[in-house]
Amino acid sequence: MEDLLDAINPQQLETEGSAAYQQEQFLEAANSFEAAQAGYKSKGDDLKAAEMANNRCVALLQAGEPQAALESAEGTIEVFRDLEDDRRRAMALGNRAAALEDLGRLEEAIGDYQASADLLKKLGADDLLLNVMKSLSGLQLKTGRSLEALATMQAGVEGVEKPNLKQRFLKRVLSLPGRLVGL
């Protein structure tokens, strides 16, 4: 058994998973990430094991397997919290939220997206924050919270330090309702 564990090369499996993901072979990627997770776990590297579980979650979401994605994400948020890796924890929350959203568990998804956004804002990770805010805003809109959705999207684009052309346009459009009512 020891020889088998030594033969596992989680770095190679991680590379294979990333390559499969880039080629949009999502189930193959998920399988490689799962094997890499087991390899890292056997070596006592909980951070990398959780990262591989999170990667597997993303691949499974892309493959249209939200329940398996949710199961893959199980426990990763706590690992990242315990290791004080707030950036990865925020990403894991966002991934779990996407799985919950795909499963129709919208209120839970909103909670996870909000928690992810709060962490990303605290970290100043504007590159990731805008995407989370878009997802959160879309869910708020879907659940009939139009004003919340507008405010969320505004907060998302306001947080971008150097907005591109599309983001500047969006910022301008989102400011119109406030200007119309005199805010």
Side-chain angles (χ1 to χ4, degrees):
M1 182 67 172
E2 185 78 26
D3 293 336
L4 178 62
L5 291 179
D6 287 339
I8 296 173
N9 183 342
Q11 295 88 356
Q12 179 61 34
L13 292 165
E14 179 181 355
T15 300
E16 289 172 12
S18 295
Y21 187 88
Q22 292 301 317
Q23 296 170 1
E24 298 184 7
Q25 297 171 346
F26 301 120
L27 288 176
E28 185 180 321
N31 290 335
S32 293
F33 290 137
E34 184 176 29
Q37 176 186 358
Y40 284 122
K41 190 80 171 156
S42 74
K43 294 179 183 300
D45 190 341
D46 291 340
L47 178 63
K48 287 298 282 185
E51 186 179 335
M52 292 305 101
N54 209 32
N55 288 352
R56 180 172 182 255
C57 174
V58 173
L60 289 167
L61 283 170
Q62 291 296 319
E65 299 287 341
Q67 183 61 46
L70 182 62
E71 291 166 9
S72 180
E74 189 69 34
T76 61
I77 294 163
E78 293 77 16
V79 169
F80 295 135
R81 184 196 60 229
D82 293 347
L83 295 172
E84 298 179 7
D85 190 332
D86 285 343
R87 185 176 178 91
R88 284 189 177 107
R89 181 167 55 126
M91 291 168 53
L93 281 161
N95 293 336
R96 185 172 73 181
L100 290 166
E101 180 179 359
D102 285 355
L103 291 168
R105 294 165 57 181
L106 304 185
E107 291 304 318
E108 291 172 87
I110 287 172
D112 275 358
Y113 278 134
Q114 188 62 60
S116 176
D118 291 345
L119 277 172
L120 292 169
K121 189 172 185 175
K122 182 181 99 176
L123 294 169
D126 298 336
D127 55 324
L128 298 172
L129 180 60
L130 182 57
N131 289 329
V132 171
M133 295 299 263
K134 277 190 217 176
S135 296
L136 177 58
S137 177
L139 255 182
Q140 288 168 332
L141 199 56
K142 197 184 288 188
T143 57
R145 303 174 193 169
S146 305
L147 292 176
E148 261 184 88
L150 178 64
T152 297
M153 203 56 229
Q154 280 179 318
V157 294
E158 290 300 323
V160 178
E161 239 176 82
K162 295 180 182 175
N164 61 29
L165 182 63
K166 185 178 174 183
Q167 292 164 339
R168 285 194 305 268
F169 176 74
L170 185 58
K171 197 182 254 191
R172 202 171 283 226
V173 168
L174 290 173
S175 72
L176 288 176
R179 282 195 253 158
L180 290 174
V181 294
L183 293 177

